[in-house]
Amino acid sequence: MSSRSPHKTDHWGQPGASGDGATGERLPPKALLQRWDPRCKMLGLLGLVLAIAMVNDPALLPLVLAIPLLLALFSGLSLSFILRRLCYPSLLIVLLLLWLPFAVGDTPWRTFGPLTLYREGLAAALLIGGRFLGIVLTAMIVFNSTPLATNLKAMRALGLPWVMVDMALLTLRYLQVLKRDLQQMRTAMRSRGWRNRLQPRNLKTIAWLTGSLLLRSHERADWIYRAMRLRGYGQSDHRPSEFKVGAMDLLLLGLTMAIALLLALFNLELVVI
Amino acid sequence: MHIADGILQLPVVIGGFTGAGAVTWYSLHRIKHQGDPRERIPRAALLTATFFVASLIHLPLPPAGVHLVLNGLLGIMLGWFAFPAILIGLFLQAVMFGHGGLTSLGVNSLILGLPALMAWQLFHWQRDVTATPYRTGWRGLLAGSGALSASLVLFMVALLLGLPTAFNRESTLTAMAVITAAHLPLVIMEGVVTGLLAAFLQRVKPALLRGV
């Protein structure tokens, strides 16, 4: 893993213009994950996250956490970037991890005043926390090694309906524009003395702010469609596919699937560690 | 109201993806049935992005604050495009911000998407398109609150199905009651904001309430 990296992530974590990762991480040109065919990468990711979701034995957690570690070594992403992305864990996960050890189980392990820590609850919390880290880190590393738009095109090549892909690409494109619109509108409101407090009047203001944003978007959409038609949107595309699979891509896919299969077999106790 | 990665058991994950795939397929089938979708895609995408942005507006509700979900309004305005739009929005949230999850994407899209379709039907059921903004606002309030309430129920069902069976029934029910109570103010606020928005749109651009 590289220890230095000029982070170009904006508020939306969008890719930069020079082939950076999905969240703007500039990658070393030779990173293996960056060179891997995006279609094979998506299939490999699917296999890995499903295998991790299957894990029901806390003893397998070191193996689960070794998967993103291994991927990180070949991704070229810096450790600080990966850790920064983990700063916002789901509130539900935090509550579950705090609640489970004290609320679930029959075998007391430790007592802290009125609170009893149960073995079963602790094991369940470890399992959920471990699976969460394994899946989130694996997905984050894989998605950040290719621009998000390329990943979406790879999904299209794998059979995702074109309506979904076109919608996703356009949504991605206009998120930044709309975020800027919203910031401008909120600045204008604040400069007129508006403060975000819990009052019925404020709910009306927020509703109208959202309504204005929707109106602007609706009007903009018609212009966008006409511009897209002028540039050939809807015409059949005869360009050759931008993806090419080589022997190395297939080898990496086979390796990834073998790891996923091994994890599934360990979990089903068909293979003993 | 997002279920994160790692919580759900594999059968629920697979069930979620199967259900979401089936609803998406049916929605796309209905969209194509209404004619060439190309003209409607930019509009649907832009509205999806708008909902995505609007859901980031922070409401100062003690102790911490809440964000609107707006799945009811999304259903009202997008119709059959609502489910694919929610699926895309949740995918982008998972990939860009790490909110929600990839393995729980199917379940999360069912939790938010099915009530959005329900809100669409509820809002447009025997609706007079020339009704006053006031009456339209009440319809919006019902659709918005109804959609979020239905999402809350589905969220609980998914959690109950997804958590390991060894969980203590009593403490699980207590936790569910706490989650429900914590979400009730949001259900009310969501309804009020959706109602006010529906009234606003009926006043300034009623065509927006007729779907994409």
Side-chain angles (χ1 to χ4, degrees), chain A residues 14 54 85 131 196 206 217, chain B residues 6 10 46 50 58-59 96:
Chain A
Q14 279 298 285
M54 228 178 133
R85 296 277 296 170
R131 283 195 309 226
N196 195 5
I206 286 170
S217 303
Chain B
L10 189 67
L46 230 79
T50 311
H58 178 85
L59 294 176
M96 290 163 65

Side-chain angles (χ1 to χ4, degrees), chain A residues 179-193:
Chain A
K179 173 88 190 307
R180 208 166 40 239
D181 279 3
L182 180 68
Q183 276 170 345
Q184 280 173 356
M185 289 162 88
R186 289 174 89 168
T187 306
M189 281 163 65
R190 273 200 297 272
S191 66
R192 288 174 195 161

Side-chain angles (χ1 to χ4, degrees), chain A residues 164-198:
Chain A
M164 299 287 289
V165 178
D166 283 7
M167 265 182 79
L169 287 170
L170 281 167
T171 302
L172 191 61
R173 168 70 186 86
Y174 285 99
L175 276 175
Q176 295 190 48
V177 178
L178 289 169
K179 173 88 190 307
R180 208 166 40 239
D181 279 3
L182 180 68
Q183 276 170 345
Q184 280 173 356
M185 289 162 88
R186 289 174 89 168
T187 306
M189 281 163 65
R190 273 200 297 272
S191 66
R192 288 174 195 161
W194 181 76
R195 292 288 171 267
N196 195 5
R197 295 193 187 109
L198 189 66

Side-chain angles (χ1 to χ4, degrees), chain A residues 12 14 54 85 99-100 103 131-132 135 139 155 162 174-175 178 182 196 198 206-207 211 217-218 222 225 234, chain B residues 5-6 10 38-39 41 43 45-46 49-50 52-53 56 58-60 84 91 95-96 102 167 171 197 205 208:
Chain A
W12 289 91
Q14 279 298 285
M54 228 178 133
R85 296 277 296 170
W99 170 70
L100 283 172
R131 283 195 309 226
F132 171 77
I135 295 170
M155 289 181 197
W162 65 268
Y174 285 99
L175 276 175
L178 289 169
L182 180 68
N196 195 5
L198 189 66
I206 286 170
S217 303
H218 186 262
D222 289 334
Y225 176 66
Chain B
D5 280 318
L10 189 67
R38 281 191 178 85
E39 190 177 347
I41 285 175
R43 208 175 300 154
L46 230 79
T50 311
F52 194 103
V53 168
L56 296 176
H58 178 85
L59 294 176
F91 171 75
V95 172
M96 290 163 65
L102 278 183
F167 278 32
S171 59
L197 256 163
K205 188 101 177 175
L208 262 175

Side-chain angles (χ1 to χ4, degrees), chain A:
Chain A
M1 274 184 289
S2 135
S3 57
R4 136 190 106 73
S5 139
H7 300 295
K8 290 179 71 184
T9 315
D10 63 8
H11 296 300
W12 289 91
Q14 279 298 285
S18 54
D20 298 351
T23 47
E25 177 75 347
R26 189 181 289 279
L27 302 161
K30 298 285 184 190
L32 186 67
L33 269 186
Q34 193 190 4
R35 282 182 280 132
W36 195 9
D37 177 74
R39 289 171 302 173
C40 294
K41 205 163 20 180
M42 289 295 110
L43 289 175
L45 174 67
L46 184 70
L48 285 176
V49 296
L50 285 180
I52 295 173
M54 228 178 133
V55 169
N56 270 322
D57 182 359
L60 291 174
L61 290 181
L63 192 58
V64 164
L65 296 175
I67 292 172
L69 192 66
L70 194 68
L71 287 170
L73 285 173
F74 295 105
S75 69
L77 299 170
S78 67
L79 185 65
S80 62
F81 171 79
I82 294 171
L83 292 177
R84 207 173 53 237
R85 296 277 296 170
L86 275 180
C87 285
Y88 310 103
S90 155
L91 181 65
L92 187 64
I93 279 280
V94 175
L95 291 176
L96 266 176
L97 295 186
L98 291 176
W99 170 70
L100 283 172
F102 295 101
V104 173
D106 301 315
T107 322
W109 188 52
R110 293 271 191 281
T111 307
F112 305 100
L115 297 173
T116 308
L117 196 68
Y118 295 97
R119 281 181 189 279
E120 294 85 352
L122 198 60
L126 274 175
L127 199 57
I128 289 177
R131 283 195 309 226
F132 171 77
L133 276 179
I135 295 170
V136 168
L137 284 172
T138 302
M140 188 243 288
I141 291 166
V142 169
F143 271 104
N144 279 286
S145 60
T146 314
L148 190 49
T150 310
N151 284 328
L152 287 167
K153 286 175 193 164
M155 289 181 197
R156 169 79 190 104
L158 288 170
L160 193 72
W162 65 268
V163 176
M164 299 287 289
V165 178
D166 283 7
M167 265 182 79
L169 287 170
L170 281 167
T171 302
L172 191 61
R173 168 70 186 86
Y174 285 99
L175 276 175
Q176 295 190 48
V177 178
L178 289 169
K179 173 88 190 307
R180 208 166 40 239
D181 279 3
L182 180 68
Q183 276 170 345
Q184 280 173 356
M185 289 162 88
R186 289 174 89 168
T187 306
M189 281 163 65
R190 273 200 297 272
S191 66
R192 288 174 195 161
W194 181 76
R195 292 288 171 267
N196 195 5
R197 295 193 187 109
L198 189 66
Q199 294 167 344
R201 194 188 158 93
N202 266 0
L203 284 184
K204 192 173 181 179
T205 311
I206 286 170
W208 286 13
L209 169 76
T210 311
S212 303
L213 210 58
L214 286 167
L215 275 175
R216 280 189 187 201
S217 303
H218 186 262
E219 282 157 14
R220 187 180 274 153
D222 289 334
W223 290 104
I224 289 168
Y225 176 66
R226 281 175 219 166
M228 283 165 65
R229 289 293 291 188
L230 280 173
R231 289 173 191 175
Y233 179 63
Q235 307 299 314
S236 49
D237 190 355
H238 297 295
R239 283 175 299 179
S241 168
E242 62 184 282
F243 303 116
K244 281 192 177 69
V245 179
M248 186 56 134
D249 298 310
L250 292 175
L251 184 71
L252 284 174
L253 178 61
L255 199 65
T256 313
M257 287 303 187
I259 293 171
L261 187 67
L262 198 64
L263 192 58
L265 292 176
F266 277 142
N267 190 55
L268 295 171
E269 294 179 358
L270 295 174
V271 175
V272 181
I273 304 174

